Amino acid sequence: AAAPPQSACQPACLVACGLGRGWVIYPGTPGTPARLGRARGERTWRRKRPIPWRPPKGVPCPYKKESVRISSGNKIWTLKFSQDIAHKTPLILLHGFGGGVGLWALNFGDLCENRPVYALDLLGFGRSSRPPFGGDAVEAEDQFVDTIEEWRCALGLDTVILLGHNLGGFLAAAYSLKYPSRVKHLILVEPWGFPERPDNADQDRPIPVWIKALGAVLTPFNPLAGLRIAGPFGLSLVRRLRPDFKRKYASMFEDDTVTEYIYHCNVQTPSGETAFRNMTIPYGWAKRPMLLRIGKMDPDIPISVIYGARSCIDGNSGNTIQSLRPHSYVKTIAILGAGHYVYADQPEEFNQKVKEICDSVD
């Protein structure tokens, strides 16, 4: 979709995310990605008209926005900051499951002070194209990774510092395995999909029978299908289930802008969401855990692992990576007072740590 027109009330970078209110049911037509949602018994919601964001505090860096064309007619929505700083290795930001470029809003200003920064919506998420993905974990992962490589080639970038959060961390590691010559430093922020599912997981933390039954019923559906089934009540559902997002971004937005952004990112055709489902086994474990493969990564690629000290995600993956790469640089950084969304919980400290890592590259 074309980006909404810039106006006097749209000066800040989050306008470039291009998602607003005013959505209606749109059943799609044969041959379009909307068929994917219908095939899974879901109703697809799409934007009826763009409505401007209220202006947040400005980002003190020049930026550009672009739909980068790749193969098969797909496009990758991209924000580009400080491109005039050509002598520094660019930092690439890959968001997590269900996210988009807008969730880095608290980080752009600091991170782009002395180097180029690129943030993209992963294929199947945000404002990027939402094509059908391969039906198994290998196909889905390869499609994500090869898309990132096509995107890099299209922008003419040589080597990069690659940072990924959650699913983005998993894909950043997979990209580094496949295209090692392109990665100067790999930064994993609360990465998903690294450990194996323990054989005794049910014994250590018994799962109630009703949850197992519910999981069995929901297995054929995508993780966020409930938002689309809820229709116009989906936004209220997000507000009730995740009121923390409004608090995380309170310094920039006084209203529900971020909550609405997350809702609209995930109420569309569930393309990337379906790919993620195909990459998981019940209860969110990865079918192809990254810790089984990361030991094969080029030993010259430094890895930094950033965790929130109060996150529910297992923070031991950093230590395990170090044991699997004993002769390579691996550093684990815990940020106090931060949970899984460490970049939004403690943005100043997160930004400082990432800048220090980037400065170690050049």
Side-chain angles (χ1 to χ4, degrees), residues 174-249:
Y175 178 91
S176 301
L177 278 166
K178 192 168 185 177
Y179 301 102
S181 64
R182 298 302 177 183
V183 181
K184 286 278 194 75
H185 200 117
L186 174 61
I187 305 175
L188 304 173
V189 181
E190 289 275 323
W192 167 84
F194 274 62
E196 292 183 85
R197 184 182 189 273
D199 292 334
N200 61 348
D202 291 355
Q203 287 78 19
D204 290 348
R205 187 177 297 178
I207 300 174
V209 173
W210 71 270
I211 292 183
K212 290 183 178 181
L214 184 62
V217 170
L218 295 178
T219 294
F221 297 93
N222 288 309
L224 300 176
L227 287 183
R228 290 176 291 277
I229 294 172
F233 301 103
L235 179 56
S236 297
L237 190 64
V238 176
R239 288 193 186 114
R240 291 191 177 192
L241 294 178
R242 296 306 305 265
D244 56 310
F245 275 111
K246 183 174 181 178
R247 294 194 297 269
K248 293 179 195 298
Y249 293 86

Side-chain angles (χ1 to χ4, degrees), residues 16-334:
C17 300
L19 298 170
R21 308 177 191 85
W23 291 55
V24 294
I25 294 177
Y26 183 82
T29 56
T32 68
R35 295 180 63 190
L36 184 62
R38 295 206 311 278
R40 303 198 178 277
E42 299 177 5
R43 306 178 85 182
T44 302
W45 289 69
R46 293 193 179 175
R47 184 174 57 195
K48 180 180 178 182
R49 62 187 183 280
I51 294 181
W53 297 112
R54 294 182 180 89
K57 297 177 182 178
V59 174
C61 292
Y63 76 94
K64 295 180 180 178
K65 54 184 179 172
E66 177 184 358
S67 283
V68 178
R69 295 178 180 273
I70 57 173
S71 63
S72 303
N74 291 318
K75 300 177 183 178
I76 300 298
W77 186 247
T78 306
L79 300 186
K80 303 181 287 187
F81 296 83
S82 301
Q83 290 180 285
D84 55 321
I85 308 177
H87 64 286
K88 290 291 189 79
T89 303
L91 171 64
I92 312 302
L93 305 178
L94 304 182
H95 63 79
F97 174 76
V101 296
L103 296 185
W104 302 108
L106 297 172
N107 315 110
F108 290 134
D110 286 340
L111 298 182
C112 72
E113 281 182 349
N114 62 352
R115 74 177 57 248
V117 173
Y118 294 78
L120 62 141
D121 282 340
L122 294 169
L123 187 70
F125 291 99
R127 292 198 65 205
S128 290
S129 298
R130 293 176 177 248
F133 274 77
D136 65 33
V138 174
E139 290 181 81
E141 180 182 316
D142 284 344
Q143 196 166 344
F144 275 126
V145 169
D146 291 340
T147 293
I148 296 170
E149 173 62 3
E150 287 186 48
W151 172 86
R152 182 199 63 79
C153 292
L155 289 177
L157 303 178
D158 183 16
T159 56
V160 302
I161 300 167
L162 192 57
L163 183 155
H165 171 254
N166 185 266
L167 172 62
F170 180 90
L171 297 177
Y175 178 91
S176 301
L177 278 166
K178 192 168 185 177
Y179 301 102
S181 64
R182 298 302 177 183
V183 181
K184 286 278 194 75
H185 200 117
L186 174 61
I187 305 175
L188 304 173
V189 181
E190 289 275 323
W192 167 84
F194 274 62
E196 292 183 85
R197 184 182 189 273
D199 292 334
N200 61 348
D202 291 355
Q203 287 78 19
D204 290 348
R205 187 177 297 178
I207 300 174
V209 173
W210 71 270
I211 292 183
K212 290 183 178 181
L214 184 62
V217 170
L218 295 178
T219 294
F221 297 93
N222 288 309
L224 300 176
L227 287 183
R228 290 176 291 277
I229 294 172
F233 301 103
L235 179 56
S236 297
L237 190 64
V238 176
R239 288 193 186 114
R240 291 191 177 192
L241 294 178
R242 296 306 305 265
D244 56 310
F245 275 111
K246 183 174 181 178
R247 294 194 297 269
K248 293 179 195 298
Y249 293 86
S251 63
M252 182 172 281
F253 300 98
E254 296 179 356
D255 56 13
D256 289 325
T257 295
V258 174
T259 306
E260 293 175 11
Y261 173 72
I262 293 169
Y263 168 69
H264 289 310
C265 276
N266 292 293
V267 78
Q268 302 180 72
T269 304
S271 169
E273 186 182 331
T274 300
F276 177 79
R277 185 179 66 86
N278 292 339
M279 293 164 64
T280 65
I281 58 177
Y283 309 111
W285 298 89
K287 283 184 180 178
R288 305 180 68 229
M290 189 55 64
L291 288 181
L292 299 183
R293 298 180 275 159
I294 203 164
K296 301 176 183 178
M297 186 176 293
D298 187 326
D300 292 331
I301 297 178
I303 298 179
S304 295
V305 186
I306 301 178
Y307 281 98
R310 29 178 210 90
S311 172
C312 59
I313 301 295
D314 180 10
N316 292 323
S317 291
N319 295 330
T320 306
I321 294 171
Q322 177 68 78
S323 68
L324 295 170
R325 307 178 80 231
H327 305 297
S328 301
Y329 179 92
V330 179
K331 183 177 182 180
T332 300
I333 301 168

